Structure formats: structure tokens, C-alpha cells
Amino acid sequence: MPRIAVVTGGTRGIGAAISEELHRAGYIVAPTYHGNDAVAKAFTAKTGAPHFKFDVGDFAACKDGLALIEAELGPVDILVNNAGITRDSFLHKMTPEQWGDVIHTNLNSVFNMSRLVIEGMRARGFGRIVSISSINGQAGQARQTNYSAAKAAIIGFTKALALESASKGITVNAIAPGYIDTDMVRAVPQEVLDKIIAKIPTRRLGKPEEIAHMVKFLISDEAAFANGATFTLNGGQYMA
Ligand code: NDP
């Protein structure tokens, strides 16, 4: 039986590359998204994989969304916590909304989704959870106290849940990408981006597919000994 993988934010950017990679590898993939219906429809038309719309920061919405996924596809074996946003500002100008939106989407989502799948994984004796952190959670980034805090918290969450879950056949890992060529990074002004690229030893942005390959490895049976780790994929920009 093919394993079932939920990829949050799985219709666009890094998440779409992960969904496509896993779909091609024979997994049954359930990509989720929040607002961009046109992109989600285009993704399904291109890949044949379905899409599921709900807010990953809202526990009740996640519960309903996962119930629908499990009713349509079956129990979730693999969870990729990928959905994320930025709301950049210096702390001395940051609003509670900017802080709250990022914690809601980038961190509460990881609790919501992991909490809702972990009991089934424990009962069945198998599970893989991979969460997408960030170089900015490792190194810090000005104008991103909200984002850096959420992404650093994912690393601690990953270690704690890995300790709790290892005896049940579940591994929990994180990936900390550097700057990857997606809408999120294309929103950065070009002159700022040029300065960032100049600091990357490989002198280029990463590709979404490069993150997807690591996810495919981490959810495989061969990766059963990788647990509680954060895998840094950033072209050598920050050597954690
Ligand atoms: P994109 O902005 O390209 O895509 C974000 C995805 O998340 C979209 O599918 C979006 O759905 C979904 N999403 C946003 N908010 C919610 C929500 N509340 N509920 C459900 N889904 C939501 O992002 P990237 O592909 O660039 O980033 C993916 C992940 O990788 C993020 O966690 C990001 O922080 C992290 N990351 C990215 C880096 C980069 O350089 N790009 C570097 C390091 C980490 P919709 O299409 O409906 O808006």
C-alpha cells in the first residue's frame, strides 16, 4: 500500500516541489493550501494530485481538514509541515498582528497538524514528520524577530517530539533551507536579493527541488536512524 503524505502549503513554492516529488515517487499526496485557489487548481491539473483548503494555524480547521483527507485517502503516515508566511518589520515597528500572524501560520500550525496525526502514527507504529524551519531561525535575521522565533521554535519542537516518538517507529526531523527561489524570496527587493546572493558561497539561490529531495530521503525507510535532527541546506551560507 502506498503511504499517505500530507504537505501543508503544498501547492506552491517549496511545498509544490515536495508534493510533486513525493507524487512521482509513488506516495499518495495530500497538498494543502489556504487562499490561492487558482494556483491550487493549476497544481492539480498539472500533477493529478488533489488539494485541500484550510488554515493550518486554526486547530479546528486542521481537524476538519485532516478528517476529510483521511476519509478520502486513508490514515496519514507522513506529515510535512511546510506552510509559512513572512510579515517583516523591525521589532520597534512590529504590530501585534504581524507577530501573531507569523506565530499562527508558521508555529501553531506545526503543533496543530502534528498533534492531530501523532496519535494515529503511534497506534500504527510508523510515522514521519518533517518540518521546514529556516536559516533565519538558526542565524537570526533583522526585521524577522517573529519569523526567526517561529523557525527556531520548530527546531526545539522537533527534538522534543523526536524523543517522545522514537520508540513508536516515528521519526521527527527539520530542514533549515537557505534562500530558495520561490514567491516568498521573489518578494524581496532585487538590490537586497543581490546582496544576499553575494554572501552565498554557491552564488545562487537554492531550488525548491533541492529541498524536496531531502524530504524524500527523510521520509524513506532508509532514513529511520535520522531523528531529531535539523538538516541545513543553504549553499554554505550559514554552517550550523
Ligand atoms: P510560498 O510563499 O511560495 O508558499 C507558501 C505556501 O504556504 C502556499 O502554499 C500557501 O498557500 C501556504 N500557506 C500560507 N499560509 C497558510 C495557512 N494559514 N494555511 C495553510 N497554508 C498556508 O513559500 P515558500 O515555498 O517560499 O516557503 C515554504 C516554507 O519554507 C515556509 O515555511 C517558509 O518559511 C520556508 N522557507 C522558505 C525559504 C525561501 O527562501 N523560500 C527559506 C527558508 C524557509 P496559498 O498558496 O493558498 O497562499
Side-chain angles (χ1 to χ4, degrees):
M1 271 292 281
R3 287 187 172 138
I4 297 169
V6 172
V7 182
T8 68
T11 57
R12 199 151 66 79
I14 294 171
I18 296 169
S19 299
E20 284 185 55
E21 183 75 27
L22 303 193
H23 184 63
R24 267 196 303 273
Y27 293 91
I28 297 174
V29 184
T32 81
Y33 73 108
H34 188 213
N36 207 325
D37 297 316
V39 170
K41 276 186 196 146
F43 175 84
T44 293
K46 179 182 164 201
T47 61
H51 55 258
F52 297 88
K53 181 178 182 175
F54 56 92
D55 178 1
V56 284
D58 177 333
F59 188 79
C62 290
K63 196 170 183 187
D64 292 347
L66 278 167
L68 186 63
I69 289 170
E70 297 210 326
E72 283 189 18
L73 304 176
V76 176
D77 304 299
I78 296 152
L79 169 64
V80 184
N81 287 310
N82 165 79
I85 59 168
T86 53
R87 296 287 183 269
D88 295 354
S89 172
F90 288 108
L91 187 69
H92 59 272
K93 294 183 178 168
M94 188 175 285
T95 63
E97 288 71 29
Q98 286 172 314
W99 174 266
D101 286 353
V102 168
I103 299 302
H104 173 92
T105 301
N106 297 14
L107 182 57
N108 292 348
S109 60
V110 175
F111 165 76
N112 294 342
M113 294 297 288
S114 305
R115 174 66 186 86
L116 288 163
V117 299
I118 199 77
E119 285 184 72
M121 289 178 176
R122 289 175 71 90
R124 292 186 299 277
F126 178 86
R128 294 280 185 269
I129 297 179
V130 180
S131 301
I132 307 299
S133 175
S134 169
I135 186 174
N136 294 346
Q138 297 173 304
Q141 177 61 48
R143 304 181 71 244
Q144 288 197 332
T145 50
N146 49 4
Y147 186 86
S148 297
K151 293 300 187 180
I154 286 176
I155 295 173
F157 176 95
T158 295
K159 291 176 183 176
L161 187 59
L163 286 172
E164 290 182 10
S165 312
S167 66
K168 300 291 184 188
I170 301 165
T171 68
V172 188
N173 291 288
I175 296 174
Y179 287 79
I180 309 297
D181 190 5
T182 69
D183 295 343
M184 186 181 275
V185 162
R186 278 178 226 124
V188 174
Q190 190 59 46
E191 64 274 17
V192 177
L193 206 50
D194 289 343
K195 284 185 192 151
I196 291 170
I197 292 171
K199 287 187 190 149
I200 304 174
T202 48
R203 295 286 184 273
R204 65 169 177 87
L205 298 174
K207 300 176 194 160
E209 303 76 45
E210 291 173 316
I211 308 304
H213 284 301
M214 179 57 93
V215 173
K216 189 170 76 173
F217 168 68
L218 288 174
I219 66 170
S220 69
D221 287 346
E222 290 75 13
F225 209 53
N227 200 16
T230 297
F231 293 84
T232 295
L233 300 181
N234 62 26
Q237 186 180 355
Y238 179 76
M239 300 188 187

